Amino acid sequence: MALADFIADLNALSAEADASFASAADAAALEAARVEYLGAKAGRLKAVQQGLGKVDKADKPAAGKRFNEVKQAIEAAFAAAQERQSRGAVVAEREAFDVTLPGRPVRLGRLHPVTQTIAEMKDIMGRLGFTAVEGPEIEDDWHNFEALNIPRSHPARDPLDNFYLATAQLTPGESPGAKSLGGKPLLLRSQTSTVQIRVMESTPPPVRIISLGRVYRPDTADATHYPMFHQIEGLLIDRGVTMADLKSVLRLFCQSYFGSVEAGGQDVHVRFRPSFFPFTEPSVEVDMSWTNAAGEHGWLEMGGAGMVDPNVLRAVGYDPEEVTGFAFGLGVERICMRQHGITDIRALYENDVRFLEQF
Ligand code: PHE
């Protein structure tokens, strides 16, 4: 190969490389150009270098010298282009900042509809003199069953109807063996009535509390069931409490919750149907009347209630001859769904922001 041809190739390459680096629009394009010309394996400079071997022996030193000069020139052109680009990026950013533009709004979250319902319920019951208390979601069988007059043989204790936990807590002094030998079973509470027991065990009467929280049952999820849901539990213990008090409180509660919301201040009624719960006697199912936009009248099932069973009062050390009381347990989701016209409970727990931000 003649020296003149080799040098012509080098010069052409150098000019092309300069043009490519200069016209690279962004960092990615510049990097692609670098690989094309300076790439260690398949770069075009590398290819020209291969021609060095074919230059006549006498011309080799001159060819090698020229090759090194061009290599350095291409490398310098690349470095310059890189430098120019990073400076340009900063300038572009500075120019793009327009102080007269309105600020970008911060995306605000909001309370979950169930949380809103709970807050509203606490508010209403607070005005009726009920203090909100909390209880643990992991319970022992004394608080979930035994003290609530649900004996060991009762079907409500069925492992298929409850989330029992595999491990049992040891009380101080209890041997680890007791755990496997029928030590206290623990479970995710299946009802908030557990809190009635905890409050009465730790406070003398009178008692006037509500408790709102999660309960767990192994139900298959469908439009009206979910393995976790919320209840509002109410408990009032005093001298001479009657079922009339229970009905008045529930009616005031429903009236306050729905009366203004959807019935336009209309009367809301509460209906009792005879029922059975081990921890209340007599026991009732509570329905609430409602009127929809079309003026149609219906009844919404809200939950259970009744007069606290004397066995429960005795279990917590109260004297059933002295005090009586009522208790109720209502489904929070049901009330929340009714209020907003939500027809599938699963929508509440899918965490789809498009759904949740409507409330
Ligand atoms: N704990 C009952 C349930 O979960 C409801 C209830 C509470 C009934 C208080 C009576 C009194 O079904």
Side-chain angles (χ1 to χ4, degrees), residues 91-268:
V91 171
E93 208 167 278
R94 233 183 267 138
E95 279 169 357
F97 184 72
D98 180 349
V99 289
T100 65
L101 285 175
R104 291 197 194 115
V106 176
R107 197 162 145 205
L108 283 185
R110 61 184 70 218
L111 294 177
H112 190 280
V114 169
T115 306
Q116 292 180 34
T117 296
I118 286 173
E120 172 98 343
M121 288 174 167
K122 279 187 185 163
D123 203 50
I124 292 169
M125 293 305 289
R127 278 184 259 136
L128 296 177
F130 287 75
T131 306
V133 298
E134 300 219 349
E137 289 176 27
I138 295 179
E139 268 295 4
D140 51 41
D141 64 350
W142 168 257
H143 291 96
N144 203 87
F145 301 124
E146 201 81 31
L148 286 165
N149 203 29
I150 305 175
R152 204 155 276 262
S153 57
H154 197 280
R157 292 199 180 200
D158 194 321
L160 294 175
D161 293 330
N162 293 282
F163 285 113
Y164 283 99
L165 303 179
T167 52
Q169 216 169 36
L170 295 177
T171 50
E174 205 176 1
S175 76
K179 204 160 76 169
S180 48
L181 295 170
K184 280 193 198 127
L186 295 175
L187 73 162
L188 296 178
R189 67 179 177 191
S190 61
Q191 49 185 354
T192 44
S193 300
T194 54
V195 186
Q196 294 181 32
I197 303 301
R198 290 191 171 271
V199 169
M200 289 191 283
E201 279 175 337
S202 61
T203 13
V207 166
R208 196 185 272 232
I209 57 104
I210 50 163
S211 187
L212 291 117
R214 298 185 184 91
V215 299
Y216 302 85
R217 296 176 191 178
D219 291 330
T220 305
D222 62 24
T224 54
H225 296 85
Y226 207 73
M228 181 283 300
F229 59 98
H230 295 73
Q231 288 186 326
I232 171 172
E233 188 87 10
L235 175 70
L236 188 148
I237 307 278
D238 208 336
R239 290 172 190 276
V241 178
T242 71
M243 256 181 124
D245 300 314
L246 169 63
K247 198 161 192 179
S248 304
V249 165
L250 286 174
R251 179 159 173 217
L252 274 170
F253 172 73
C254 295
Q255 175 104 48
S256 306
Y257 193 88
F258 285 103
S260 53
V261 185
E262 66 174 320
Q266 272 176 28
D267 252 9
V268 174

Side-chain angles (χ1 to χ4, degrees), residues 29-76:
L30 185 59
E31 172 61 12
R34 185 193 66 78
V35 171
E36 180 179 351
Y37 292 98
L38 295 170
K41 278 191 194 137
R44 287 172 61 183
L45 189 64
K46 192 87 194 163
V48 174
Q49 192 177 12
Q50 247 113 64
L52 195 55
K54 294 172 215 142
V55 173
D56 303 331
K57 201 157 187 196
D59 293 334
K60 272 222 172 103
K65 183 165 173 278
R66 183 65 194 144
F67 177 82
N68 284 332
E69 284 166 6
V70 168
K71 184 174 180 217
Q72 273 161 23
I74 294 179
E75 279 168 358

